[in-house]
Structures are given as structure tokens and as C-alpha cells.
Amino acid sequence: MTAPYDVAVIGAGVMGCSTALHLARAGMKVVLLDRGEICREASGVNAGTLTMQMTRAALIPYALRAHAMWMRMGEWCDGGHVQAVDCPGLSVAFTEHEVAMLEERAHFRRQAGAPIEIVSTARAREIEPGLSDKALLAGHCPIDGFTSAYLTGRAFRPALLNAGVDLRERCAVRGVQPGFSIDTEEGEIRATRLVLAGGVWLQDMAAWLGITLPIKVLINQLVVTERLPPVMRTVLGVASGLLSLKQYANGTVLIGGGWQGIGDRQRGGLAVKPDSFLGNVRLAAHTIPALRDARVVRSWLGLEAETADALPAIGPIPGVADAWIIGSVHSGYTSGPYMGKLLAQAICGQAPELPLFPIDRLLAKDQAA
Amino acid sequence: MAAATEAAQRGASVVVFDESPAPGGQVYRAPPAGYAMPADPDRLEGDALRAALAASGAVVKTGHRVWGVGGGPLVPLGEDAAPFRIDALAPDGSNSVTEARALVLATGTHERIIPFPGWTLPGVLGLAAATILLKANGVLPGRRVVVAGAGPLLYAVAAKVAKAGATVAAVVDLAATSEWLAALPALMARPDLLTRGAAWRASLTLKGVPILPAHRIVAAEGDKVLRRVRVAPLGGGEERVIDCDALTIGHGLVPATEATRAFRAAHRYEATAGGWVPVLDEDRRTSIARLYACGDGSGVRGAAAAPASGRLAALAALRDLGLIDSTTHATARSAPAANFARAARAGGAMARMMALRPALVAAIPPDTIICRCEGVTRAQIEAAVTDGATAMNQVKQFTRCGMGPCQGRMCGEAAAELVAAKVGGREKAGFATGRVPLRPVAMDALLGDFDYADIPVPRPAPI
Amino acid sequence: MDVIARRDMLTSVADDLRIAGMTRPAPVAFTFDGATFSAPEGESLAAALIACGIRRLGDGLDPARPRAALCMMGVCQQCLLRVDGRLAQACLVLVRAGMVVTPA
């Protein structure tokens, strides 16, 4: 039997990696477990958008700090990086209804600290010459950007190993006993503390501890074009939040926005829905007309977790000493590295820089603390 | 063609999609409209299959690029399997959606070319590609051609080039003479093929074409285009330089399994069938209900075996749909089953000859580009494995290898072999998940004309 | 013949690589990169360009990986170019009179 760890983190996505890294750097002996490979689920297949204009207002303070972390990832992650690009973001309205939505949402986000200003179409097209002249109004946020999310696992891995984290990939956990005894495919692992960081699988993980935590699964669709000459230079969205569009340095344009495909927790992302596929690319081409000339190369799906109130689950697990949970953060990739840092502060007994999101509110009365 | 003909003749309502202007695939490809060229045995066989298909009542949609598949098992949890869906672009650029209760995949193969320095030079062409150029278009790949790689296509292409009056500078065969001799017993079942093969070789010998057994292309060289190749014996030894303006090279055929992978059907790795192939029962049923695979796309067994496997697939589909009873099925399947077994014996021997040779992959220099779409080298792929990638999906993420427009079809074999050598085999290295679109699809064709109000934008998330 | 000289220096005689002894449709004119060529109507564009002595179909994204026909069956995507302004794979396009072909 292995010597007990100070903490076992289950789930090696961006939340689990950041939590594990910060805990190890605080001096803890950490084991990080994943049934698959590091950042191969949502953390490695998402759109890499670091926008404030799709982030829930309550999460803006977190997202702003995380944006800065992503941009300087090499400095705190032993050189590991995700090719983060710092650029302005625009959120566009095409109808009067969307204009109202844009202004309302920009107001709330501005109150939460995002420096969003409403600009005319003419001004928006100075910022983004590729933008359609059909736009009526736009929200402009100078703090925006994107990463190549597929590099996330490769970026975190060396830093985790350098910090002494025992990274165990392809090591599925079958169950957990308080104390903690973790039943894995490679045998029992014992740890003093437990962190559940399992994305859409948090519902199953919480059940190991007898906790009923309903987690809704979103099956987010992404579409990518082949390499194109430059057609845009910002992160573009629409007022409703159902488009995210950016062009990478290699020329490919990534089209997202959370259109739903077919899939589930058990089987993963299975297939795009034809209507969603077409709707998403039409919305993209309506926004950046030059995309009409592109070829679509690939589409895929990523699973996003959502709690009943669509706010995060980050904090202690009520009724189970030394057990913690982190996940279900809307636009979770954007805020991910900062959320892990906060949870690590709490686990180490410090007061986190910003409040956590305890899950008592999400549990039935008899389970809440 | 055979599957559609069999099904339609037995009363099923059948639609066939093919990207080419006429049915026939690669081996039985029809000449372009307005062409008249001397017929060879493949053409005659192809014409017969085409005539039967035309008379069968099946709807044949040629010039249709199938870019999407869906339905079947790809439905929300708890729902019954849906009809299969086929998304295709018609020749006029319009998009069409077709639904079917059963789907037979006859997707054929694409060529395996194990990279070597200079393989990106214009003038380097696939061996199967050269066959298409020669047979379907009557165009020579060059005036002075080196023909290299593995399998019977080597000699077919070389003989055709020589007969047309161009110079075959050399035939560079990966196989040793002893390997051809070892394949002879299996070929005895197909005296026609044996005779053709012998005639090809004799014609080359007669013209004094150098045949280099157990040799490989070390590098292709030239400034803007190919000028010469360097060749060497497989086991090492002195290199020689051969001037040429074309190199046709192929290291075997790889089943095109993107559709079965997109359906998440079970697959297994079988090197002597060309690589990853769908798991099939003896009637060509995949692990997915009412999804069938036939021809070389389901495991390389040669063109002669393909029609028999197509008939088996069609009969199984008709049986599973209740369109024929079990007695009819049992009677009808016996002839194609026997034909398949017979043809597959010779086809299997040739497939073994064309199986991937790990030594060829091991010989790739570190800075050679493996993935042409994304410019990823051998060294970069191996660095990704050193950095913790253990399987093809992860190598793709770490390096972009296979993320380009060909979606890993050209680089996948060499890349997987490089990973396999480090992680302990092709099964462990796995394969990249199948994704729609199956081929790049022009946004313009997809989009059509639309109004903003027509876009079904979902409800926004809460603020 | 400028284009041929600049791109290939392979051959200066169009039709040089077409195998004799077969009936083809009448040749039609098309342009590639501004120069005029002729090929039988309905011939695969990739084959027509090879027959006209043009191997290098453009520099593509990286001169180390230029555009050129490789698989001839629509798979490899290496022969991508523009036909009448639209992206197309040369091996899947048939020659038509007056088509304007440019590198992609």
C-alpha cells in the first residue's frame, strides 16, 4: 500500500490540474487521478474563449483574474502555455430585441467589473474590419482573448510533475470511502483530503459520498474551418451569447457558442445535430461574411456541467470532513486556473481572495450543512 | 455497386451515393464521358457491374460528396435507434439529406504512403493515384518514371507506363523476390491474376527496366519539383541516384473507416487487412444494428472479393429489415460467401504483401514531415509522446498532427506507427475519433441562402 | 509557356504526356494562374495540369509543402486550388471551357 497522500484530486481537467498544482506548491503531497488522459475532456476540447461577454456577471471578477493567469501562464506554469492571445472582444446585436439584450447584459457585466462599452457599428467595424455591416450595435471589451485549448494538458503536465504531483492517468476511480480510501483500478489509494473535480461526472462522484448533487450536462458543439487568410482579429460573439468566433494564428477559424449536440454523461459527445450544425455556421457567416469562402474541416462536442442555478460548485462538501468539490463553472475554462488557486487557498486553511461557491444551496435540506 | 444491385433486385428501395462522376470505385472506374479507350479486364468487369446496377432499379446519385452521416445509434440516451441519415453535396453544390433504414458502407481504401525526405515535392504521386491517372485519364505521370512501393500495383503501373512509351527508370520493390514466391500458392486460385502479373513483369524485363527487389526510396530530391530519387537496399548498403520527373509510390492500402468510426462501431487492428477495420460478422454486419460494411473499406481483400462481400451485406440488410425470410437468405448467401472466400484468399495474400512495414517507419529521419496538412515532423510527434501523450487523439491535440483538411488520412498510418513503437502497439495507440464532416465541405454550399430570422438561435444562458 | 517555365520546367509541349491511341473529347481552353492551356473537355483537372506540365499547383501555406496532386481520389487535399474563384480539389473537378484556375 502506498503512503497516504495529503490530498487526492480526482479529475485532471483544468480545475483539478490548477487545484493540484497550487496545493503541491503549498507543500502538500498530492495525487491527481483521471480515468482518461490529462485535460482530454471539456478542458481540452472547448473553444478556448477567454471572453467577459459570455461570462455570467457573478463570475466576472474571477474571469478577469483568470484571464491574466492564462496570458501569463508560462510564468506560473513552468513555461507551459496554451498560445494565449490577448485581443479585444465584440458582442454584436443584429435585431432591436438583441440591442436591448446587449445593453442590459453589458450593464450587469460592467457593474461586475468588465470594462464593456457599447459602440456603434462603424466603431465596431474599425475594431473588427471583418464584421458584417448588418450589425446594429456592439459591446466592446478590451479584455478578451483565446487559447488553443487542445494544448492545456501538455501545458499543465510538466509543472505538475515538477511540483511533485503524482499524476495518474488512465486510472479510473470506482469508489471512495471516508477517511479517505480510494478504490482505483491500480488498487487502493489513501489520502487525508479529497477533491472532486470531475466536470459533468461530479454527480457520480458526489454519489460515492452519499451526496445527491444534480448536474445537468450540456453537449456543446464546435466547428473548425481549414486555414484561411486573415478574416478577423477579435473574439466575436452575439448578444445572446450563442456564438463564439475567433481566428487562430494558423488561420483556422473556430466556431462555437454552445449549440447543443447529441450525447450524455455515459457515452460522451456522440454527434452534432444537423440543425445546430447549420444554424451555428450560418450565424458565424452572418457575422463574418468572409467565412462563406471557407471549408469546414471538423466538428466535435464537449461536455459542460451545469448546476441547478447555473452557478459554480466550489467549496467543502457538507457532512464529509476534508472533502471538497470544484466544478460546474459557467464558461469554466475561462475561470478555471483561478478557481483552482482559490480552492487550494481554502484547503490550506487560508481565506480565499474571493468567495467560493459552497454547494449547500444545491443539496436537499437533510444533506446541507 | 454489387450491394445496391442485389438489394434493389430483391425489391428493396435503394439509393447509392458516390463522389465520382460514374460508379465503379477506383479499380472498376469508368472512363470520363466522351472518352474511348482500349478495354482491359477491369473495365469489362466494371461495365458489367455498372450495367447490372443501372438495370436494378436502384437510384444512383453520382457526383455526390457524402460529408455527413448520422442517425442510427447516434440518438439521445433512451431513445430507439433512428433511421440513418446521409448528408451529401450534389454536383450543383446543393445540400441533400437522405434517410434510410439500413446503411451499407462501401467506402474503399486510400493509399498508405510512408513519408521520406522530399515526399512533398510535386512529381511524387501515389501508386493508386498513378493508376487513376493512367487508366481513367490516359495521362502519364512523367516521361521518366520511378515506380516504388509494395504490392501488385507496382508492376501494373510500371507496365502501363512502359507500354505508353515513357521510360520506367526503375521499379523499386519493398518485397524481396522470396516474398513474391511465398505468395504464389495463394494466387493459384486466381490464374487470371497470375497471368496478368507475369505478363507485366515480362514486358518490363523485355524493355530492360531495372527491377530492384528489397529496396526502398531513401529520399526524393529537386528544387521546386522532383528531379531525382535516392534508393537503397532495405537492409542498408550503397545508395544509388536515379534521375526522374515522376515518382509513383505506394505502401499499401488503408481501409477508409471514417464512417464506421463516426458511428462508434467496434473496430479491431489487423495489419494484414490494411489496419483498423470494423468488427464484422460473416454477413458483414458491424457492431451497430443495420449498419454493414463491405469491400476493401472493411478490410483489404482485393477488388475481386469486393462484389461478393457487397452481396453478403445487402442480403444481411434485407434479412434484418424483414424483406427476405431466413430460408431465402440462407440460400442466397451461399454463392457470394463461397466467392468471397475464394477471392479473399488471393486478395489476402496481396494484402499481406501491402501490409505496413514497421522498418520503413523506423527509417524516417526526425525532421521529415509526417503530416502534410499541418507540417508536423517525426521529431514533433515523438516529442509529444515524451511529453506524456499515449494515444492518437492525444498526439493530435499536442501536435495538430491529423487536424488538417485530410483529417489524418494521409499521415495517420505513419504517425500511429511512431506512437505505437513507443507505447506498445497499434491497439494501444488507437485511432482518432471519427468526426463529421467526413470530407471538408465548402461553407458556401452548406449555408445556402438564408435570412437571419431563419437561424434557430437557442435561448440564451442566464446573465 | 511562362507559367510552365516558372513552375516546372518539366516539358514545353502540352499533350506530351497524354497516351496515344484513345479517343478524347475536343480540347477546350482554360487558364491557370493567368496563362492559357487546353485539355479535353471533361478531363480531370489534376490530370490536365499534369499533362500540361504543371506539377506545382501553388506554394500553399508553406513552400516546403507545396500544393500538388498526390492521391487523385479526393482524399489528401493536397491539390486544392481555386476554380472560378471557389476552393476545389483539382482531382475532383472536370475541365470546362473557359474555367479560370488559380492557386489557393
Side-chain angles (χ1 to χ4, degrees), chain B residues 314-385:
Chain B
L315 290 166
L318 295 188
R319 176 70 202 110
D320 296 344
L321 291 172
L323 296 174
I324 57 174
D325 61 29
S326 59
T327 317
T328 309
H329 180 247
T331 312
R333 75 175 297 283
S334 63
N339 288 341
F340 178 76
R342 187 163 52 246
R345 188 155 179 262
M350 288 303 97
R352 277 192 291 283
M353 200 80 113
M354 293 189 287
L356 188 143
R357 292 169 190 245
L360 210 54
V361 177
I364 301 172
D367 57 352
T368 299
I369 287 173
I370 305 292
C371 169
R372 278 170 86 139
C373 296
E374 296 293 325
V376 183
T377 64
R378 172 183 182 154
Q380 288 170 325
I381 290 168
E382 293 185 328
V385 177

Side-chain angles (χ1 to χ4, degrees), chain B residues 36-37 65 138 140 224 372, chain C residues 19 22 24 56 65 89:
Chain B
M37 47 181 78
R65 163 168 281 209
L140 285 159
K224 291 252 175 191
R372 278 170 86 139
Chain C
I19 298 170
M22 46 195 284
R24 295 179 166 87
R56 198 177 175 100
R65 298 174 279 135
Q89 290 163 260

Side-chain angles (χ1 to χ4, degrees), chain B residues 40-282:
Chain B
D40 62 15
D42 290 339
R43 258 287 303 293
L44 297 175
E45 180 68 29
D47 287 346
L49 286 162
R50 270 183 289 276
L53 176 63
S56 71
V59 176
V60 182
K61 298 202 174 190
T62 51
H64 279 66
R65 163 168 281 209
V66 174
W67 61 269
V69 291
L74 306 179
V75 292
L77 200 63
E79 287 186 16
D80 292 337
F84 291 100
R85 196 190 71 249
I86 292 99
D87 304 290
L89 288 183
D92 67 0
S94 66
N95 193 36
S96 72
V97 179
T98 306
E99 289 195 335
R101 295 163 66 202
L103 179 59
V104 178
L105 298 167
T107 49
T109 61
H110 49 257
E111 200 148 33
R112 177 192 299 118
I113 303 176
I114 300 301
F116 49 90
W119 77 295
T120 53
L121 278 173
V124 178
L125 200 65
L127 203 51
T131 314
I132 295 167
L133 191 64
L134 289 160
K135 284 174 70 171
N137 297 282
V139 171
L140 285 159
R143 304 285 343 154
R144 191 175 159 78
V145 185
V146 171
V147 183
L153 270 184
L154 269 181
Y155 297 94
V157 166
K160 184 94 180 165
V161 168
K163 189 180 172 200
T167 303
V168 178
V171 176
V172 183
D173 193 342
L174 279 177
T177 311
S178 57
E179 292 176 63
W180 284 103
L181 292 175
L184 277 181
L187 290 176
M188 289 303 179
R190 290 293 308 276
D192 52 332
L193 293 185
L194 212 52
T195 312
R196 268 166 89 187
W200 291 332
R201 285 202 66 141
S203 75
L204 294 170
T205 311
L206 204 64
K207 289 194 161 73
V209 171
I211 294 177
L212 307 173
H215 274 63
R216 69 179 176 102
I217 301 289
V218 175
E221 297 174 349
D223 177 15
K224 291 252 175 191
V225 293
L226 176 72
R227 300 286 175 212
R228 71 197 80 84
V229 296
R230 312 182 82 86
V231 304
L234 276 185
E238 203 178 329
E239 284 185 14
R240 70 176 89 181
V241 177
I242 302 173
D243 289 337
C244 57
D245 58 15
L247 166 64
T248 67
I249 184 161
H251 301 119
L253 303 172
V254 185
T257 55
E258 48 265 22
T260 43
R261 279 186 281 138
F263 280 115
R264 307 287 193 274
H267 288 73
R268 66 193 167 84
Y269 185 75
E270 188 185 345
T272 54
W276 285 99
V277 290
V279 173
L280 300 175
D281 76 0
E282 57 186 9

